[in-house]
Amino acid sequence: MIRLEGPEATERMGARLAASLRPGDVVALYGDLGAGKTTFARGVLRGLGFSGDVGSPTFPIVLPYEELALPIWHVDLYRIEDPEELGELALDEALDGGALLIEWPERMGTALWPHALKLTLARDGEGARALTAELPPAWGARWPPR
């Protein structure tokens, strides 16, 4: 468990993770509403050089950031009610030269890629977050990010 003291620390951890990302990676972000998933994703995108606004893709579901050195699709599955709807999103296409950041990955059921890095953010006192990771073998040497 890594304790993150506030949104700035959460964003910095995301930026540190950005340096470890490779084409084909999937980062699954778990946590309740307001846990810091989008803040973490913003840090990843900033770490890859994006300087614009980063919001939650709750309504568009997928926001592609194709202009980055490593293209990222930021995905929010909160509104997905049936895993069969996922086929319409063509998420596999993002992995052909880029990576996926997925909020609410539990909506995928068993369709989540087995090589996904699973990160859970939870409130841990006033403004802080606890970050825990479930590491597939491909991430063993890359976690925690430096």
Side-chain angles (χ1 to χ4, degrees):
M1 192 271 294
I2 298 171
R3 191 163 202 272
L4 303 169
E5 297 289 343
E8 297 82 12
T10 303
E11 195 168 318
R12 278 194 307 273
M13 179 58 82
R16 286 174 40 203
L17 179 68
S20 301
L21 288 175
R22 300 175 184 158
D25 279 343
V26 176
V27 178
L29 299 170
Y30 294 85
D32 294 334
L33 284 172
K37 297 179 299 294
T38 300
T39 301
F40 189 91
R42 179 180 307 116
V44 171
L45 293 164
R46 296 261 187 268
L48 291 169
F50 186 75
S51 59
D53 289 335
V54 176
S56 176
T58 301
F59 290 102
I61 300 177
V62 176
L63 289 175
Y65 294 87
E66 301 285 349
E67 69 279 9
L68 303 174
L70 176 65
I72 297 286
W73 285 15
H74 183 192
V75 181
D76 185 327
L77 300 178
Y78 184 74
R79 295 182 329 134
I80 297 294
E81 295 180 12
D82 184 341
E84 291 191 18
E85 297 175 59
L86 295 170
E88 298 172 24
L89 301 178
L91 298 178
D92 284 323
E93 292 178 17
L95 301 179
D96 282 343
L100 288 168
L101 287 173
I102 303 175
E103 297 186 39
W104 300 99
E106 56 271 31
R107 306 290 171 119
M108 294 186 77
T110 59
L112 183 65
W113 294 265
H115 70 280
L117 171 64
K118 296 177 182 178
L119 300 178
T120 301
L121 289 152
R123 289 178 178 82
D124 189 25
E126 187 66 33
R129 300 294 184 259
L131 175 65
T132 55
E134 187 178 321
L135 305 174
W139 279 91
R142 295 190 280 161
W143 185 267
R146 309 212 186 318

